[in-house]
Amino acid sequence: MLSSEFPAYLATRKAEVESALDQTITVTYPEVIYEAMRYSLLIGGKRLRPILCLAACELLGGERATAMATACALEMVHTMSLIHDDLPAMDNDDLRRGKPTNHRVYGEAIAILAGDALLAYAFEWVATQTQGVSPAVVLRVIGELGHAFAATGVIGGQVVDLASEGRPDTNLETLHFIHTHKTGALLEACVTCGALLGGGQDSDLEHLRTYAQSIGLAFQIVDDILDVTASSEQLGKTAGKDLVAQKVTYPSLWGLEASRQKAYDLVTVAKDSLSGYGDAAHPLHYLADYIVERDR
Ligand code: GRG
C-alpha cells in the first residue's frame, strides 16, 4: 500500500467497523439500557482499536471477517472504559466524542450499567460470533481480552492514575506504569487478538506486542500533547484537563518538543519490530504514523 492510499484505507475500514457495530445491539425490553449502550458505541470515535485488530489479522494472512467480531468487542470494551472514565466518581466529564457523556444523557445508574453490559456483551460477542477458527483460538482471544482489561491491565492503570491526581511528585516510572496499562494494554490486545485470529504463531505475537507497546506509549504522549495544544471542539472531549487535575504528563516532564520527538522515536521502534513482514506491514506502519500525526 502507498502512503497516499492510507486515507482511503482508513475511511473504508472505519465504515466497515461502524456497519458491523451497528448490527451488534438490538433495542429490546428494557429499552433504556440498549439505547444507552448504542448511544456511546455508535456516536463516533476513530475506531482505531478495531482497525488495528483487523490489520494484524490481515498481516498474517487471515480474513477480516474472522476478526470482525473481536474487532467489535474491542470497541465495546474501549467504549465502556470511556463511559466509566467520564463518571463523576472518575473524571466527571460532560463531553465525549463530541457529544454529552453517557451519564449526562441517561443518568449515572444507567451509565454504570451500560458500561457493565457492554463489557459482558463483548465477551459474549466473541464467543458466539467468531467463525472460521478453532475454539482453542477463540479461548486464547478471550483470555487476551480479559487480561488486558483486568487489574493486570486497564483497571490497574486507572487505579494508579486516580491515585496520582494532584501529585506533582509522580515520577516517570509511575507515569509509564499508568499509560502502559491504562492505554497500552488494550492496544496490545487489539493486535495480539487480530494476530491469533489470523493464524499467528507465538513469534508473530511477540513482534506485534513490541509494535503495540511502542504505539501505545506514542499514542499516550500525543494524547498528553493534544490535551495542552488542542481545543475541546477539536478533541470532542474536554481539553486542558491534565493541568486542572494537576496531573504529571509527558509534556510536563519533558516539554512539548522532546515529547513529540519521543513519540516519533517510538514509531520507529514500532515499525522496526515488523521489518520481517515486508510490504504486508504497510497498513500497520501507516497506522503508527497516524497515531502520532493525529490532531484529535
Ligand atoms: C476497564 C472494566 C474497566 C473499567 C474502566 C475507567 C477505567 C476503568 C479505565 C479508564 C481507561 C481509559 C479511559 C483510558 C484512556 C484511553 C484513551 C487515551 C482513550 C481515548 O481513546 P481514543 O482517542 O478515543 O482512541 P476515540 O473516541 O477516538 O475512540
Side-chain angles (χ1 to χ4, degrees):
M1 188 205 296
L2 299 171
S3 63
S4 59
E5 292 166 335
F6 181 68
Y9 166 91
L10 204 56
T12 307
R13 289 291 174 277
K14 190 166 185 273
E16 286 173 4
V17 166
E18 290 193 335
S19 157
L21 285 172
D22 191 36
Q23 290 162 43
T24 57
I25 299 167
T26 307
V27 178
T28 178
Y29 181 79
E31 286 81 2
V32 67
I33 190 67
Y34 296 100
E35 282 162 5
M37 291 161 75
R38 283 183 65 86
Y39 174 75
S40 289
L41 190 63
L42 299 174
I43 49 170
K46 296 179 284 296
R47 312 307 191 189
L48 186 60
R49 291 157 189 80
I51 294 173
L52 279 168
C53 175
L54 298 175
C57 177
E58 286 194 301
L59 172 74
L60 298 169
E63 298 285 332
R64 287 204 297 288
T66 312
M68 191 54 95
T70 299
C72 289
L74 285 157
E75 189 66 16
M76 286 180 206
V77 297
H78 167 58
T79 301
M80 86 71 69
S81 78
L82 301 180
I83 295 173
H84 281 200
D85 194 49
D86 291 334
L87 287 169
M90 304 244 189
D91 261 8
N92 192 16
D93 220 320
D94 295 334
L95 189 68
R96 174 66 71 176
R97 293 178 162 171
K99 299 272 170 23
T101 46
N102 198 291
H103 66 275
R104 283 271 158 209
V105 178
Y106 294 97
E108 237 183 290
I110 291 296
I112 292 169
L113 293 170
D116 294 343
L118 279 170
L119 182 60
Y121 192 49
F123 286 90
E124 179 186 345
W125 197 251
V126 174
T128 60
Q129 304 294 318
T130 307
Q131 286 170 356
V133 289
S134 71
V137 169
V138 179
L139 273 181
R140 276 195 76 182
V141 166
I142 289 172
E144 286 282 329
L145 208 52
H147 189 74
F149 250 67
T152 42
V154 177
I155 292 178
Q158 177 76 351
V159 168
V160 180
D161 192 22
L162 291 173
S164 71
E165 273 184 26
R167 297 284 306 266
D169 57 337
T170 303
N171 61 24
L172 189 57
E173 196 187 343
T174 305
L175 191 63
H176 194 75
F177 181 94
I178 293 169
H179 295 313
T180 51
H181 290 75
K182 185 178 152 171
T183 307
L186 189 56
L187 292 173
E188 193 175 319
C190 295
V191 295
T192 54
C193 291
L196 285 166
L197 292 159
Q201 304 301 308
D202 285 344
S203 58
D204 297 307
L205 260 64
E206 281 321 302
H207 294 304
L208 282 158
R209 279 190 207 283
T210 306
Y211 167 86
Q213 285 160 5
S214 307
I215 62 160
L217 208 46
F219 182 96
Q220 191 57 54
I221 293 172
V222 172
D223 225 59
D224 286 357
I225 294 172
L226 289 173
D227 186 70
V228 183
T229 58
S231 65
S232 300
E233 292 68 37
Q234 193 177 332
L235 297 178
K237 61 182 180 182
T238 313
K241 288 207 76 171
D242 294 340
L243 206 61
V244 174
Q246 291 184 294
K247 273 191 187 176
V248 170
T249 64
Y250 291 106
S252 76
L253 286 178
W254 297 334
L256 280 175
E257 263 328 294
S259 299
R260 257 188 211 107
Q261 188 53 52
K262 182 73 181 165
Y264 281 111
D265 293 347
L266 285 162
V267 165
T268 305
V269 175
K271 288 179 178 175
D272 287 351
S273 72
L274 302 183
S275 59
Y277 298 95
D279 292 354
H282 277 170
L284 286 166
H285 284 192
Y286 299 139
L287 280 162
D289 290 331
Y290 168 70
I291 279 169
V292 288
E293 281 157 15
R294 69 197 170 95
D295 62 1
R296 65 197 64 219

